[in-house]
Amino acid sequence: MIKIVYILLFILSNTSANTIERKYDIICGAVPRTKGSCGEECEYEYNHNERILKITGKKMDDYKSPLEVPWYLQIENIENITLNGIEHIGENSFNGAKSLTEIIIPSSVNSIGRNAFTNSNIKNLNIFILSSSYPYHIATVHM
């Protein structure tokens, strides 16, 4: 039965294998993944108790759909995101993060993909350059 569901999802969907796997996980009630890879030399870890997603590395992957994001099954519960060393925030990475209240974009970030924060509850995105002596505010994006 499980293989039939997986095959039907693949046939009916015009999406990548990662998206099929996420849909399969949702239908079958899979246990959400709490850590793994999310791009070039890039790892994530989600803490259920604190509702914090920590991402460390260089370049996050771009995702064609929010269903492809590795933390999709936790997306509505994420309240805080910590980025360490990230240079690129991927497309659709936090699309649907309805509980998201805080994210600090570090100075290492030089690009943000489309729809990265679509359907999140962030109203203003403050971007700072953090130095050893003081934070320097460079932009506010009203969403």
Side-chain angles (χ1 to χ4, degrees):
M1 176 64 175
I2 292 173
K3 287 183 180 179
I4 293 170
V5 170
Y6 188 79
I7 292 167
L8 283 173
L9 284 172
F10 186 76
I11 292 169
L12 296 174
S13 178
N14 187 18
T15 55
S16 71
N18 284 342
T19 302
I20 299 301
E21 185 178 338
R22 301 288 181 274
K23 289 179 182 178
Y24 177 80
D25 287 349
I26 293 164
I27 290 171
C28 296
V31 175
R33 297 179 183 115
T34 57
K35 61 168 117 177
S37 176
C38 59
E40 179 184 322
E41 301 176 31
C42 198
E43 301 288 324
Y44 76 93
E45 184 171 358
Y46 178 67
N47 182 312
H48 290 282
N49 296 329
E50 297 178 15
R51 300 174 78 161
I52 295 174
L53 178 66
K54 295 180 182 178
I55 302 174
T56 305
K58 289 189 175 186
K59 183 180 178 202
M60 293 174 62
D61 284 340
D62 287 316
Y63 303 98
K64 293 179 183 177
S65 162
L67 290 175
E68 293 182 5
V69 177
W71 46 85
Y72 176 76
L73 294 176
Q74 297 99 342
I75 195 71
E76 291 188 3
N77 298 318
I78 297 170
E79 292 180 356
N80 186 303
I81 297 170
T82 302
L83 303 173
N84 295 314
I86 299 298
E87 297 172 0
H88 172 73
I89 297 174
E91 289 183 26
N92 289 301
S93 291
F94 311 115
N95 188 334
K98 297 184 185 311
S99 299
L100 184 59
T101 57
E102 182 178 352
I103 181 170
I104 296 174
I105 308 291
S107 60
S108 60
V109 173
N110 56 43
S111 64
I112 299 174
R114 292 182 319 198
N115 300 317
F117 299 100
T118 300
N119 299 315
S120 72
N121 276 333
I122 291 183
K123 303 296 181 219
N124 295 308
L125 184 63
N126 291 301
I127 302 173
F128 291 88
I129 294 177
L130 301 176
S131 70
S132 59
S133 56
Y134 61 90
Y136 178 68
H137 182 259
I138 60 169
T140 298
V141 180
H142 301 286
M143 306 187 63

